[in-house]
Amino acid sequence: MIVKKLMGVFVVLLSLFLVLPVAAAAPDLSENHPFYEEITYLMEKGVITGYPDGTIRPDREVTRAEAAVMIGRLKDLDGTKRATPFRDVPASHYASGYIAEAAEAGYVKGYGDGTFRPNAPIIRGDMALIVERVFGLVFTFNQSFTDVPQNAYYAEAISKILAANITIGYPDNTFRPKQAVTRGQFSAFLARALEPEFKNDAVIARSYQKDKTKAYTYNMSDGTTAVHRFEDVPDRNGLTYGFMWTAEVDGESYEYFEFESHELFAFGYPYSEYDVALVYPVRLGKTFNVGMGDETIIRTITGVNKTVETPYKTFTNATEVTTQDGFKYYMAEGFSTIKSINAQGVVESELAEVD
């Protein structure tokens, strides 16, 4: 009896120290919300906090001041109230410290009239600029959205967050840069910049991109294997790298990107060009030019829903693409390239394992 009583006391005491999941304190954040996981992730990191009534308000627009606070928490900036360079953000403002620090770091900027407009909502174009600056993005994927003019001040930043698998835009090939950003959308932008798991969400319907949380092993024609992983590549030789695919082949390695828009799929290479591998929508007989400048290099979609055997498994939904010289490669939704065969019928590479 004494042992049972002591155990009961122990359980009660233990329960006092248990920490409930962060999202449990947010009555308005349903697990069915499209950005539930991203918001929860940032709440656990202390980047997003609730309101005094315990709500998160995931669909509420984010103000410029709130954006500065979240970025400040993410980057461990000093949030102590202080004077700012903006005439409409006095030292007494609740976000003055973060706004001043974020401006000093170059993450946020004011307007030509000396204001910051802290209560104005953040628009998607400006959000792209903030993400580009905070995470030091350098690579671009210049696929034009129909509503983003090339001379727009946020055009390059949008191409960078597209390349970084942080956004995919809308199915009608728009980005809607002047649309206000909600707290949930803001969370998605930040979470995708931070974690490969969330980058998997920035894909089109029926995407051909590989899962960025898994490793893919290919058997090569020379008897070697190539292991592909999505990793945060350290900077080197004074150049910035960041998240991208790495391939280790016989002691050597190289890096590449999988770029995708609602119009095409491409493989990109750091500080170089990108190679279009597939165009959307996928249709039998469709041809596309992958040449640069005046050069014409035609590829043709010569098969859809093909059955292709690989050591990993048999695919029944493969897309076959044939080049001008007879080289064939096969791609499958969610797996990228699964097999390639040269003009002589020799298998150059094929997917062997996914883990």
Side-chain angles (χ1 to χ4, degrees):
M1 292 294 292
I2 293 176
V3 173
K4 289 183 178 180
K5 287 182 179 179
L6 289 175
M7 285 299 295
V9 171
F10 174 75
V11 170
V12 172
L13 288 174
L14 180 62
S15 68
L16 296 176
F17 292 94
L18 291 177
V19 178
L20 294 176
V22 176
D28 61 338
L29 182 59
S30 166
E31 292 187 12
N32 295 324
H33 192 280
F35 302 122
Y36 171 82
E37 292 184 356
E38 290 90 339
I39 294 172
T40 302
Y41 169 74
L42 293 177
M43 288 176 69
E44 291 172 347
K45 293 179 71 69
V47 174
I48 290 180
T49 59
Y51 291 88
D53 62 359
T55 60
I56 290 297
R57 306 177 195 176
D59 301 316
R60 175 174 171 170
E61 294 178 354
V62 177
T63 67
R64 289 171 54 82
E66 290 171 336
V69 170
M70 294 179 199
I71 292 300
R73 292 174 182 153
L74 179 67
K75 301 297 288 186
D76 292 324
L77 301 182
D78 183 2
T80 304
K81 292 181 180 180
R82 50 175 279 195
T84 77
F86 308 110
R87 61 185 178 85
D88 58 345
V89 184
S92 59
H93 191 281
Y94 81 93
S96 63
Y98 284 123
I99 291 173
E101 288 280 301
E104 186 175 329
Y107 300 145
V108 298
K109 296 183 179 180
Y111 294 90
D113 60 0
T115 64
F116 183 75
R117 304 176 194 174
N119 298 322
I122 282 283
I123 61 172
R124 287 170 57 85
D126 287 343
M127 185 69 238
L129 282 164
I130 291 174
V131 171
E132 173 202 5
R133 296 164 186 158
V134 169
F135 296 98
L137 304 180
V138 297
F139 300 109
T140 61
F141 180 34
N142 295 316
Q143 282 299 296
S144 299
F145 291 105
T146 57
D147 57 349
V148 180
Q150 291 186 350
N151 61 352
Y153 71 89
Y154 39 63
E156 184 175 4
I158 291 172
S159 74
K160 288 180 179 179
I161 65 171
L162 177 63
N165 302 118
I166 293 171
T167 189
I168 197 64
Y170 292 90
D172 61 356
N173 200 36
T174 61
F175 184 76
R176 307 177 192 175
K178 297 180 181 179
Q179 180 175 291
V181 176
T182 67
R183 286 165 63 82
Q185 292 167 338
F186 190 100
S187 299
F189 275 98
L190 296 184
R192 292 169 187 171
L194 290 166
E195 289 290 340
E197 173 188 356
F198 297 117
K199 290 179 182 289
N200 280 335
D201 295 330
V203 296
I204 66 170
R206 305 184 65 179
S207 170
Y208 278 72
Q209 292 191 63
K210 297 191 293 291
D211 185 333
K212 296 173 180 62
T213 65
K214 296 180 179 179
Y216 294 74
T217 300
Y218 297 82
N219 291 341
M220 311 302 290
S221 59
D222 60 2
T224 61
T225 58
V227 181
H228 297 233
R229 296 183 178 88
F230 192 77
E231 301 176 318
D232 190 1
V233 178
D235 298 346
R236 63 175 183 266
N237 301 324
L239 298 176
T240 300
Y241 282 77
F243 282 108
M244 62 188 71
W245 285 96
T246 64
E248 296 180 10
V249 187
D250 198 22
E252 301 291 331
S253 65
Y254 65 91
E255 296 92 15
Y256 68 94
F257 302 93
E258 287 185 349
F259 291 150
E260 190 174 41
S261 69
H262 291 282
E263 297 181 323
L264 59 84
F265 180 103
F267 293 104
Y269 305 94
Y271 299 99
S272 186
E273 304 292 340
Y274 61 82
D275 180 29
V276 178
L278 196 61
V279 291
Y280 301 134
V282 173
R283 291 198 185 101
L284 183 65
K286 180 181 285 189
T287 62
F288 52 100
N289 178 23
V290 299
M292 305 297 291
D294 296 330
E295 185 179 22
T296 300
I297 302 176
I298 299 298
R299 295 181 183 177
T300 305
I301 297 176
T302 50
V304 295
N305 294 323
K306 299 274 290 186
T307 297
V308 176
E309 293 185 2
T310 72
Y312 173 62
K313 75 172 189 176
T314 297
F315 291 84
T316 59
N317 64 335
T319 297
E320 178 186 78
V321 180
T322 304
T323 67
Q324 286 175 303
D325 59 5
F327 184 89
K328 296 179 183 293
Y329 57 89
Y330 298 86
M331 303 183 69
E333 293 174 13
F335 290 88
S336 189
T337 305
I338 57 172
K339 193 169 189 171
S340 60
I341 304 174
N342 66 23
Q344 290 72 46
V346 177
V347 176
E348 294 282 353
S349 68
E350 55 184 345
L351 185 61
E353 185 178 352
V354 178
D355 57 26

